Amino acid sequence: METVGGRNANPSSHRINRTSPTYLTDDVDSESWQNALNRAADLKSALATNELTSASAEALAHRWGTSVRTVWRYARAFRQEGSVRAVLQRRRGPVPGVGKLDSATETIIADSARTWWKATENATIAEIYPSIIRECTGRGLAHPSRATVARRLSVLRKEPANFSPRVAAKLRDRSRLVKASYTVERALAVVQVDHTIADVFIVDPSSRQCIGRPTLTIAVDVGTRCICGICLSLEAPSSLQLALCLENAISPKPGWVNSLGLDLEWPVYGLPDALHTDNGREFHSAAFRRGCDLNGIDTIYRPPATPRFGGHIERLIGTLMRRVRLLPGNTYSDFLKARPERAEQRATLTLSELGGFLVEDIHRYHRRNHRALGRAPLTAWEHHWGKEAAGPRLPKDLTRFRLDFLPLQRRVVGREGIELFGLKYSCEALAREVDLGRKRIVRYDPRNLSQVYLEQPNSAPVAIPLRDRGIPPLSLWELKAIKRSQSSPQRVDDPEVLRKSLEQLGEEGSGTSLLKRNRRTARRDAWRAVEMLTDASVTNTSLQATLTSKDVESLPWEVLE
């Protein structure tokens, strides 16, 4: 077994450093990460009956190219961890089963194949192998056998990056899971996630001035049509919003719902088996894919520009937005098929009040009959889990789950600590982490850059605060605004400079619209909140000018097909 397949496999990486230890894989596109995913899948299948026999262990050892003892060690760790994290550790020295060609020869094979395939995808080993022999002879290297080159080409041929853009697009489509329609019978087997801009303007809770339209991120369980979680914020769709929505979706919600001032039940929670999404940047980010892999969640991407493949959540969003258009400050008239005049002036709801309205509507939706199911979504949910003694699965640590999905950067831990966005982070815990030759995964929360989180192989991430404790709390968007406003380069880690710049951002500058100034203040307040919907208690006073509680209860519901 000379080759190992994977995403963006790099033949030159088959040689392993024999002198230094290897750590938790940092790159979700690396071959070793994909290799770990395959081993985790094998263990999950082998342990499905809660036992691993000697024959099964020997078969896995043969398949992985490792010792039986290593299989038992991975199996023991997988029983405790239950995800790919259990098999990410690597031991010192070369990994059994890797290719034995030197890196120069591997590079020649890859470059020759890529050169031919960029020119014509019809090139075979008959055309490529002679060019490899000529290149190796010219460099004074022993050329590999034809059989060895054939095995390398079988791996390289699966990589879209080795072909022209047109062929690469076809290869990606072939490997993407595509279904025109599907039926999911189990709860949490597939959860669809998507974003939308709410069809209503909101106001600042203090000034009562319009601050624009918020973004709603929502997750729906396909099997029961239950809404698993939401996130409402003033920001464009991002990895952070996705992390907050997923945290809300998998967490039990009694405490969160009570914090909104609502006395109702939302008993939907638990880790999904798979997430079905569109092709937005945040869904293809390293933070999202790495978070899914670390928590044992599969990802399903629908084909580009085909909203029908995500029909469940698209229809649900349409249903919710039709309800939102009944509120003051709505931005679309179903009757006129256009935007109402002076919609901003009619806005009366704050972000929290809109969130409370949505949660109350979701509560009613869960208890209304669903035509496609023939029963209420909550009834379908309770019926499924009534037959499952174990109940929905939860991550061991909810905080760590959220950190697994936060945006990430790769940084070197130097003698002065970690530098991110021009700010320096350091503490005593970094003393044993200094490694000038290796980039590490660093997570950050854009709402508050007061600390970052350094990932660890076998434990929770380490929180690293700012080296200068005098720097005031600020968000990433505030830091970027400060950098843009500086007429001359200045140190962004100077506490006095940052403090004065933050004060200037709060002042009304000439040339800035009233909407932007109001939105800027509201965004700053929203970033300070731990969760987007808990910034204020929910009241219904803003709704009474247009709707009464009796009116809301009698409004018709058009549920999912």
Side-chain angles (χ1 to χ4, degrees), residues 145-161:
S145 67
R146 184 184 178 92
T148 298
V149 172
R151 285 190 289 270
R152 297 300 191 273
L153 294 182
S154 66
V155 175
L156 295 172
R157 195 173 286 112
K158 300 176 183 178
E159 297 304 320

Side-chain angles (χ1 to χ4, degrees), residues 324-454:
V324 166
R325 290 170 197 157
L326 300 170
L327 302 176
N330 68 83
T331 62
Y332 186 79
S333 169
D334 291 312
F335 182 78
L336 299 175
K337 304 298 181 183
R339 176 174 170 175
E341 295 182 358
R342 299 185 295 276
E344 297 94 330
Q345 298 178 15
R346 297 191 180 98
T348 58
L349 274 71
T350 66
L351 185 68
S352 294
E353 290 168 344
L354 177 59
F357 174 81
L358 289 173
V359 172
E360 287 182 313
D361 243 16
I362 291 170
H363 175 77
R364 286 187 286 271
Y365 160 75
H366 280 159
R367 288 156 178 80
R368 297 286 181 92
N369 188 64
H370 194 293
R371 284 185 292 177
L373 297 175
R375 52 186 171 179
L378 188 58
T379 302
W381 175 270
E382 293 173 343
H383 176 74
H384 173 81
W385 293 112
K387 299 184 297 182
E388 299 285 342
R393 63 190 182 107
L394 283 171
K396 295 180 179 180
D397 188 338
L398 291 175
T399 301
R400 187 172 182 179
F401 176 86
R402 183 179 71 252
L403 292 180
D404 285 340
F405 285 90
L406 284 181
L408 62 86
Q409 295 282 341
R410 290 179 173 83
R411 289 292 185 270
V412 173
V413 181
R415 297 175 63 186
E416 295 184 355
I418 299 171
E419 183 172 346
L420 190 66
F421 305 121
L423 301 173
K424 290 182 170 55
Y425 299 84
S426 182
C427 66
E428 294 182 1
L430 278 185
R432 57 181 179 275
E433 303 289 345
V434 175
D435 188 348
L436 301 181
R438 181 167 63 98
K439 288 187 175 182
R440 303 281 297 278
I441 291 290
V442 178
R443 303 274 185 175
Y444 63 94
D445 189 336
R447 297 172 298 176
N448 191 345
L449 297 180
S450 296
Q451 62 182 2
V452 295
Y453 307 91
L454 179 66

Side-chain angles (χ1 to χ4, degrees), residues 195-197 213-217 231-238 240-241 351 446-447 475 477 519-520 522-524 526-527 532:
H195 313 276
T196 188
I197 304 298
R213 299 162 59 189
T215 301
L216 174 66
T217 305
C231 175
L232 193 66
S233 82
L234 290 167
E235 300 304 310
S238 64
L240 174 63
Q241 265 190 262
L351 185 68
R447 297 172 298 176
S475 63
W477 74 265
R519 188 178 181 87
R520 176 180 295 170
R523 288 174 72 188
R524 183 185 300 115
W527 278 127
M532 291 300 182

Side-chain angles (χ1 to χ4, degrees), residues 63 244 388 557:
R63 180 173 179 175
L244 294 174
E388 299 285 342
W557 261 93

Side-chain angles (χ1 to χ4, degrees), residues 187-189 191 219 221 228-229 245-253 266-275 297 381 385 391-395 398 401:
L188 296 180
V191 170
D221 175 42
C228 301
C245 179
L246 292 177
E247 181 186 22
N248 181 257
I250 63 102
S251 304
K253 301 175 180 60
W266 188 349
V268 183
Y269 69 94
L271 276 171
D273 295 334
L275 290 175
I297 302 174
W381 175 270
W385 293 112
R393 63 190 182 107
L394 283 171
L398 291 175
F401 176 86

